[in-house]
Amino acid sequence: SDVNENEAKERAGGLAEDKSGSVSVIVWDLDETLICFQSFLDERFADVNMPEGGRVPCNEDPLSFVEANPEQAKRRLKRLGEEWSEEVLLLCDTHFFFDKIETCDVTQVHSLAEEDDHQDLENYEFEKDGL
């Protein structure tokens, strides 16, 4: 997709520049985060970690915790997973250009086979190809 520098700067408008003009960039590996969200959504987290219930984030104040029976814990964690998923998708759409690439359906390297000329690359001079 074509994402120009101006669009990137506009989307990154919330990033703070320090006095030297540097911009802070946060790198976030979403794999584990998404696995955690999914375990909240399908209730596996509660089944494994809270079979008797326990303390879960409060509906009114997510930084406060309340005691919950197993069913309440499952419902609350599921809702928390939904809320976090919405926030992550919003962040990806607004700052990581997810909306530009979400329709791409390239799932593996084999899907690029038609672009391969099948030349042996053992002696290929990559530094001279101009790419």
Short mmCIF file of all heavy atoms in Angstrom, two decimals, residues 63-107:
data_model
loop_
_atom_site.label_atom_id
_atom_site.label_comp_id
_atom_site.label_asym_id
_atom_site.label_seq_id
_atom_site.Cartn_x
_atom_site.Cartn_y
_atom_site.Cartn_z
N LEU A 63 -8.84 -0.60 37.29
CA LEU A 63 -7.64 -0.66 38.12
C LEU A 63 -7.95 -1.18 39.52
O LEU A 63 -7.05 -1.40 40.31
CB LEU A 63 -6.96 0.71 38.19
CG LEU A 63 -6.48 1.25 36.84
CD1 LEU A 63 -5.87 2.63 37.01
CD2 LEU A 63 -5.49 0.29 36.20
N SER A 64 -9.23 -1.35 39.82
CA SER A 64 -9.65 -1.92 41.10
C SER A 64 -10.10 -3.35 40.86
O SER A 64 -10.57 -3.70 39.79
CB SER A 64 -10.82 -1.13 41.68
OG SER A 64 -10.45 0.20 41.92
N PHE A 65 -9.95 -4.18 41.88
CA PHE A 65 -10.31 -5.58 41.74
C PHE A 65 -11.41 -5.95 42.71
O PHE A 65 -11.51 -5.38 43.80
CB PHE A 65 -9.08 -6.47 41.98
CG PHE A 65 -8.07 -6.36 40.87
CD1 PHE A 65 -7.18 -5.30 40.83
CD2 PHE A 65 -8.03 -7.29 39.86
CE1 PHE A 65 -6.26 -5.19 39.80
CE2 PHE A 65 -7.12 -7.20 38.83
CZ PHE A 65 -6.23 -6.14 38.80
N VAL A 66 -12.24 -6.89 42.30
CA VAL A 66 -13.32 -7.38 43.15
C VAL A 66 -13.31 -8.90 43.12
O VAL A 66 -12.83 -9.52 42.18
CB VAL A 66 -14.71 -6.87 42.66
CG1 VAL A 66 -14.80 -5.37 42.79
CG2 VAL A 66 -14.99 -7.29 41.24
N GLU A 67 -13.82 -9.50 44.18
CA GLU A 67 -13.96 -10.96 44.23
C GLU A 67 -15.07 -11.37 43.29
O GLU A 67 -16.09 -10.69 43.18
CB GLU A 67 -14.27 -11.42 45.65
CG GLU A 67 -13.12 -11.27 46.62
CD GLU A 67 -11.92 -12.15 46.26
OE1 GLU A 67 -12.11 -13.28 45.75
OE2 GLU A 67 -10.79 -11.69 46.46
N ALA A 68 -14.90 -12.49 42.61
CA ALA A 68 -15.91 -12.96 41.67
C ALA A 68 -15.98 -14.48 41.73
O ALA A 68 -14.96 -15.14 41.90
CB ALA A 68 -15.57 -12.51 40.26
N ASN A 69 -17.19 -15.00 41.57
CA ASN A 69 -17.32 -16.46 41.47
C ASN A 69 -16.85 -16.86 40.07
O ASN A 69 -16.61 -16.00 39.22
CB ASN A 69 -18.76 -16.90 41.78
CG ASN A 69 -19.77 -16.43 40.75
OD1 ASN A 69 -19.52 -16.45 39.55
ND2 ASN A 69 -20.92 -16.00 41.23
N PRO A 70 -16.72 -18.16 39.77
CA PRO A 70 -16.17 -18.57 38.47
C PRO A 70 -16.93 -18.00 37.27
O PRO A 70 -16.30 -17.56 36.29
CB PRO A 70 -16.27 -20.10 38.50
CG PRO A 70 -16.21 -20.44 39.95
CD PRO A 70 -16.91 -19.32 40.66
N GLU A 71 -18.24 -17.97 37.30
CA GLU A 71 -19.00 -17.45 36.15
C GLU A 71 -18.83 -15.94 36.00
O GLU A 71 -18.72 -15.43 34.89
CB GLU A 71 -20.48 -17.82 36.27
CG GLU A 71 -20.75 -19.30 36.04
CD GLU A 71 -20.15 -19.81 34.72
OE1 GLU A 71 -20.38 -19.17 33.67
OE2 GLU A 71 -19.45 -20.83 34.75
N GLN A 72 -18.82 -15.22 37.13
CA GLN A 72 -18.60 -13.78 37.06
C GLN A 72 -17.20 -13.48 36.51
O GLN A 72 -17.02 -12.57 35.71
CB GLN A 72 -18.73 -13.15 38.45
CG GLN A 72 -20.13 -13.13 38.99
CD GLN A 72 -20.15 -12.72 40.46
OE1 GLN A 72 -19.24 -13.04 41.23
NE2 GLN A 72 -21.21 -12.02 40.85
N ALA A 73 -16.22 -14.28 36.96
CA ALA A 73 -14.84 -14.09 36.51
C ALA A 73 -14.76 -14.31 35.00
O ALA A 73 -14.13 -13.52 34.29
CB ALA A 73 -13.89 -15.04 37.25
N LYS A 74 -15.38 -15.35 34.50
CA LYS A 74 -15.37 -15.62 33.07
C LYS A 74 -15.99 -14.47 32.28
O LYS A 74 -15.44 -14.02 31.27
CB LYS A 74 -16.13 -16.92 32.75
CG LYS A 74 -15.39 -18.16 33.11
CD LYS A 74 -16.23 -19.38 32.73
CE LYS A 74 -15.53 -20.66 33.16
NZ LYS A 74 -16.29 -21.84 32.76
N ARG A 75 -17.16 -14.00 32.76
CA ARG A 75 -17.83 -12.90 32.05
C ARG A 75 -16.98 -11.64 32.06
O ARG A 75 -16.86 -10.95 31.05
CB ARG A 75 -19.21 -12.64 32.67
CG ARG A 75 -20.28 -13.63 32.28
CD ARG A 75 -21.67 -13.14 32.64
NE ARG A 75 -21.81 -12.73 34.02
CZ ARG A 75 -22.14 -13.57 35.03
NH1 ARG A 75 -22.36 -14.84 34.79
NH2 ARG A 75 -22.25 -13.11 36.26
N ARG A 76 -16.42 -11.32 33.22
CA ARG A 76 -15.63 -10.09 33.33
C ARG A 76 -14.36 -10.17 32.49
O ARG A 76 -13.99 -9.22 31.80
CB ARG A 76 -15.29 -9.79 34.79
CG ARG A 76 -14.49 -8.52 34.97
CD ARG A 76 -15.23 -7.30 34.43
NE ARG A 76 -14.33 -6.17 34.36
CZ ARG A 76 -14.21 -5.38 33.30
NH1 ARG A 76 -14.96 -5.56 32.25
NH2 ARG A 76 -13.36 -4.39 33.30
N LEU A 77 -13.67 -11.30 32.53
CA LEU A 77 -12.46 -11.44 31.73
C LEU A 77 -12.77 -11.44 30.23
O LEU A 77 -12.02 -10.89 29.44
CB LEU A 77 -11.70 -12.71 32.12
CG LEU A 77 -11.05 -12.65 33.51
CD1 LEU A 77 -10.49 -14.00 33.88
CD2 LEU A 77 -9.98 -11.57 33.57
N LYS A 78 -13.91 -12.03 29.86
CA LYS A 78 -14.31 -12.01 28.45
C LYS A 78 -14.55 -10.57 28.01
O LYS A 78 -14.10 -10.14 26.95
CB LYS A 78 -15.57 -12.85 28.25
CG LYS A 78 -15.97 -12.96 26.81
CD LYS A 78 -17.11 -13.94 26.62
CE LYS A 78 -17.40 -14.14 25.15
NZ LYS A 78 -18.35 -15.21 24.91
N ARG A 79 -15.26 -9.80 28.83
CA ARG A 79 -15.52 -8.38 28.50
C ARG A 79 -14.21 -7.60 28.44
O ARG A 79 -14.01 -6.76 27.56
CB ARG A 79 -16.48 -7.77 29.52
CG ARG A 79 -16.82 -6.33 29.23
CD ARG A 79 -17.61 -6.20 27.92
NE ARG A 79 -17.54 -4.83 27.46
CZ ARG A 79 -17.27 -4.47 26.21
NH1 ARG A 79 -17.09 -5.37 25.28
NH2 ARG A 79 -17.19 -3.22 25.88
N LEU A 80 -13.30 -7.89 29.37
CA LEU A 80 -12.00 -7.22 29.38
C LEU A 80 -11.23 -7.54 28.09
O LEU A 80 -10.64 -6.66 27.47
CB LEU A 80 -11.20 -7.65 30.60
CG LEU A 80 -9.89 -6.94 30.86
CD1 LEU A 80 -10.10 -5.45 31.10
CD2 LEU A 80 -9.19 -7.56 32.06
N GLY A 81 -11.26 -8.81 27.67
CA GLY A 81 -10.63 -9.20 26.41
C GLY A 81 -11.23 -8.47 25.23
O GLY A 81 -10.51 -8.04 24.32
N GLU A 82 -12.56 -8.31 25.22
CA GLU A 82 -13.22 -7.57 24.14
C GLU A 82 -12.79 -6.11 24.13
O GLU A 82 -12.51 -5.54 23.07
CB GLU A 82 -14.74 -7.68 24.29
CG GLU A 82 -15.28 -9.06 24.04
CD GLU A 82 -16.73 -9.24 24.49
OE1 GLU A 82 -17.28 -8.34 25.17
OE2 GLU A 82 -17.30 -10.30 24.17
N GLU A 83 -12.75 -5.50 25.32
CA GLU A 83 -12.34 -4.09 25.41
C GLU A 83 -10.91 -3.90 24.93
O GLU A 83 -10.61 -2.98 24.17
CB GLU A 83 -12.49 -3.59 26.85
CG GLU A 83 -13.92 -3.49 27.32
CD GLU A 83 -14.04 -3.24 28.82
OE1 GLU A 83 -13.00 -3.01 29.50
OE2 GLU A 83 -15.17 -3.29 29.33
N TRP A 84 -10.01 -4.76 25.38
CA TRP A 84 -8.61 -4.65 24.99
C TRP A 84 -8.45 -4.90 23.50
O TRP A 84 -7.66 -4.23 22.84
CB TRP A 84 -7.75 -5.62 25.78
CG TRP A 84 -7.49 -5.23 27.20
CD1 TRP A 84 -7.89 -4.07 27.82
CD2 TRP A 84 -6.78 -5.98 28.16
NE1 TRP A 84 -7.47 -4.08 29.12
CE2 TRP A 84 -6.78 -5.24 29.36
CE3 TRP A 84 -6.16 -7.20 28.15
CZ2 TRP A 84 -6.17 -5.69 30.51
CZ3 TRP A 84 -5.55 -7.65 29.31
CH2 TRP A 84 -5.55 -6.90 30.47
N SER A 85 -9.18 -5.87 22.97
CA SER A 85 -9.10 -6.15 21.53
C SER A 85 -9.52 -4.93 20.73
O SER A 85 -8.88 -4.59 19.72
CB SER A 85 -9.99 -7.34 21.17
OG SER A 85 -9.50 -8.51 21.75
N GLU A 86 -10.58 -4.27 21.15
CA GLU A 86 -11.03 -3.06 20.46
C GLU A 86 -9.96 -1.99 20.50
O GLU A 86 -9.70 -1.31 19.49
CB GLU A 86 -12.32 -2.53 21.11
CG GLU A 86 -13.53 -3.40 20.87
CD GLU A 86 -14.74 -2.97 21.69
OE1 GLU A 86 -14.74 -1.84 22.22
OE2 GLU A 86 -15.67 -3.78 21.81
N GLU A 87 -9.31 -1.83 21.64
CA GLU A 87 -8.26 -0.82 21.78
C GLU A 87 -7.05 -1.14 20.91
O GLU A 87 -6.48 -0.25 20.27
CB GLU A 87 -7.83 -0.66 23.24
CG GLU A 87 -8.90 -0.07 24.12
CD GLU A 87 -9.32 1.34 23.69
OE1 GLU A 87 -8.45 2.14 23.28
OE2 GLU A 87 -10.52 1.64 23.77
N VAL A 88 -6.65 -2.42 20.88
CA VAL A 88 -5.50 -2.81 20.06
C VAL A 88 -5.81 -2.58 18.57
O VAL A 88 -4.98 -2.06 17.83
CB VAL A 88 -5.10 -4.27 20.31
CG1 VAL A 88 -4.12 -4.77 19.27
CG2 VAL A 88 -4.49 -4.41 21.70
N LEU A 89 -7.01 -2.96 18.13
CA LEU A 89 -7.38 -2.74 16.73
C LEU A 89 -7.43 -1.25 16.39
O LEU A 89 -6.99 -0.84 15.31
CB LEU A 89 -8.71 -3.41 16.41
CG LEU A 89 -8.65 -4.93 16.34
CD1 LEU A 89 -10.05 -5.51 16.17
CD2 LEU A 89 -7.74 -5.41 15.23
N LEU A 90 -7.93 -0.44 17.29
CA LEU A 90 -7.96 1.00 17.07
C LEU A 90 -6.53 1.55 16.95
O LEU A 90 -6.23 2.33 16.04
CB LEU A 90 -8.70 1.71 18.21
CG LEU A 90 -8.77 3.22 18.10
CD1 LEU A 90 -9.54 3.64 16.85
CD2 LEU A 90 -9.43 3.80 19.35
N LEU A 91 -5.65 1.10 17.84
CA LEU A 91 -4.26 1.52 17.78
C LEU A 91 -3.61 1.09 16.47
O LEU A 91 -2.92 1.88 15.81
CB LEU A 91 -3.49 0.91 18.97
CG LEU A 91 -1.99 1.21 19.01
CD1 LEU A 91 -1.76 2.65 19.43
CD2 LEU A 91 -1.30 0.26 19.96
N CYS A 92 -3.87 -0.14 16.06
CA CYS A 92 -3.31 -0.65 14.79
C CYS A 92 -3.84 0.13 13.60
O CYS A 92 -3.10 0.44 12.66
CB CYS A 92 -3.62 -2.13 14.63
SG CYS A 92 -2.68 -3.18 15.76
N ASP A 93 -5.13 0.46 13.61
CA ASP A 93 -5.72 1.23 12.52
C ASP A 93 -5.17 2.65 12.45
O ASP A 93 -4.89 3.17 11.37
CB ASP A 93 -7.24 1.30 12.64
CG ASP A 93 -7.94 0.04 12.19
OD1 ASP A 93 -7.30 -0.79 11.50
OD2 ASP A 93 -9.13 -0.12 12.52
N THR A 94 -5.03 3.29 13.60
CA THR A 94 -4.66 4.70 13.59
C THR A 94 -3.16 4.95 13.51
O THR A 94 -2.75 5.99 13.00
CB THR A 94 -5.20 5.42 14.84
OG1 THR A 94 -4.72 4.77 16.01
CG2 THR A 94 -6.72 5.43 14.84
N HIS A 95 -2.34 4.01 13.98
CA HIS A 95 -0.90 4.28 14.02
C HIS A 95 -0.05 3.27 13.26
O HIS A 95 1.09 3.57 12.92
CB HIS A 95 -0.40 4.34 15.46
CG HIS A 95 -1.00 5.48 16.23
ND1 HIS A 95 -0.69 6.80 15.96
CD2 HIS A 95 -1.90 5.51 17.22
CE1 HIS A 95 -1.38 7.59 16.78
NE2 HIS A 95 -2.11 6.83 17.55
N PHE A 96 -0.55 2.07 13.01
CA PHE A 96 0.26 1.04 12.36
C PHE A 96 -0.24 0.71 10.96
O PHE A 96 0.17 -0.27 10.38
CB PHE A 96 0.29 -0.24 13.20
CG PHE A 96 0.88 -0.07 14.57
CD1 PHE A 96 0.47 -0.89 15.59
CD2 PHE A 96 1.83 0.89 14.84
CE1 PHE A 96 1.01 -0.76 16.86
CE2 PHE A 96 2.37 1.03 16.10
CZ PHE A 96 1.96 0.20 17.12
N PHE A 97 -1.18 1.49 10.41
CA PHE A 97 -1.67 1.34 9.05
C PHE A 97 -2.33 -0.01 8.80
O PHE A 97 -2.35 -0.51 7.68
CB PHE A 97 -0.53 1.56 8.04
CG PHE A 97 0.23 2.83 8.30
CD1 PHE A 97 1.50 2.80 8.82
CD2 PHE A 97 -0.36 4.05 8.06
CE1 PHE A 97 2.19 3.97 9.09
CE2 PHE A 97 0.32 5.23 8.32
CZ PHE A 97 1.59 5.19 8.83
N PHE A 98 -2.89 -0.62 9.84
CA PHE A 98 -3.55 -1.92 9.70
C PHE A 98 -4.70 -1.84 8.69
O PHE A 98 -4.91 -2.77 7.91
CB PHE A 98 -4.07 -2.40 11.05
CG PHE A 98 -4.72 -3.75 11.01
CD1 PHE A 98 -3.95 -4.89 10.82
CD2 PHE A 98 -6.08 -3.88 11.16
CE1 PHE A 98 -4.54 -6.14 10.78
CE2 PHE A 98 -6.69 -5.13 11.11
CZ PHE A 98 -5.91 -6.26 10.92
N ASP A 99 -5.40 -0.72 8.68
CA ASP A 99 -6.51 -0.56 7.74
C ASP A 99 -6.04 -0.63 6.29
O ASP A 99 -6.81 -0.95 5.40
CB ASP A 99 -7.29 0.72 8.01
CG ASP A 99 -6.43 1.98 7.96
OD1 ASP A 99 -5.21 1.89 8.21
OD2 ASP A 99 -6.98 3.05 7.68
N LYS A 100 -4.77 -0.34 6.02
CA LYS A 100 -4.23 -0.40 4.66
C LYS A 100 -3.83 -1.81 4.26
O LYS A 100 -3.77 -2.13 3.09
CB LYS A 100 -3.01 0.51 4.53
CG LYS A 100 -3.31 1.95 4.77
CD LYS A 100 -3.33 2.67 3.47
CE LYS A 100 -3.49 4.15 3.74
NZ LYS A 100 -4.00 4.84 2.62
N ILE A 101 -3.51 -2.68 5.25
CA ILE A 101 -3.01 -4.01 4.91
C ILE A 101 -3.94 -5.14 5.31
O ILE A 101 -3.70 -6.29 4.95
CB ILE A 101 -1.63 -4.26 5.55
CG1 ILE A 101 -1.71 -4.23 7.08
CG2 ILE A 101 -0.61 -3.28 5.03
CD1 ILE A 101 -0.49 -4.74 7.77
N GLU A 102 -5.03 -4.86 6.03
CA GLU A 102 -5.87 -5.94 6.54
C GLU A 102 -6.53 -6.75 5.44
O GLU A 102 -6.91 -7.89 5.66
CB GLU A 102 -6.90 -5.42 7.53
CG GLU A 102 -7.97 -4.53 6.94
CD GLU A 102 -8.91 -3.99 8.00
OE1 GLU A 102 -9.19 -4.70 8.98
OE2 GLU A 102 -9.36 -2.85 7.85
N THR A 103 -6.65 -6.20 4.24
CA THR A 103 -7.27 -6.96 3.14
C THR A 103 -6.25 -7.79 2.37
O THR A 103 -6.64 -8.57 1.51
CB THR A 103 -8.00 -6.02 2.17
OG1 THR A 103 -7.06 -5.07 1.67
CG2 THR A 103 -9.14 -5.30 2.86
N CYS A 104 -4.96 -7.64 2.67
CA CYS A 104 -3.95 -8.47 2.01
C CYS A 104 -4.11 -9.90 2.51
O CYS A 104 -4.28 -10.13 3.70
CB CYS A 104 -2.54 -7.98 2.34
SG CYS A 104 -2.19 -6.36 1.69
N ASP A 105 -4.05 -10.84 1.59
CA ASP A 105 -4.29 -12.22 1.98
C ASP A 105 -3.11 -13.10 1.57
O ASP A 105 -3.27 -14.15 0.98
CB ASP A 105 -5.59 -12.72 1.32
CG ASP A 105 -6.05 -14.04 1.90
OD1 ASP A 105 -5.64 -14.37 3.02
OD2 ASP A 105 -6.81 -14.73 1.22
N VAL A 106 -1.90 -12.63 1.85
CA VAL A 106 -0.70 -13.41 1.57
C VAL A 106 -0.35 -14.15 2.85
O VAL A 106 0.04 -13.56 3.84
CB VAL A 106 0.46 -12.50 1.13
CG1 VAL A 106 1.71 -13.31 0.89
CG2 VAL A 106 0.08 -11.73 -0.12
N THR A 107 -0.52 -15.46 2.82
CA THR A 107 -0.36 -16.23 4.06
C THR A 107 0.97 -16.94 4.18
O THR A 107 1.34 -17.35 5.26
CB THR A 107 -1.49 -17.26 4.18
OG1 THR A 107 -1.46 -18.09 3.03
CG2 THR A 107 -2.84 -16.58 4.30
#
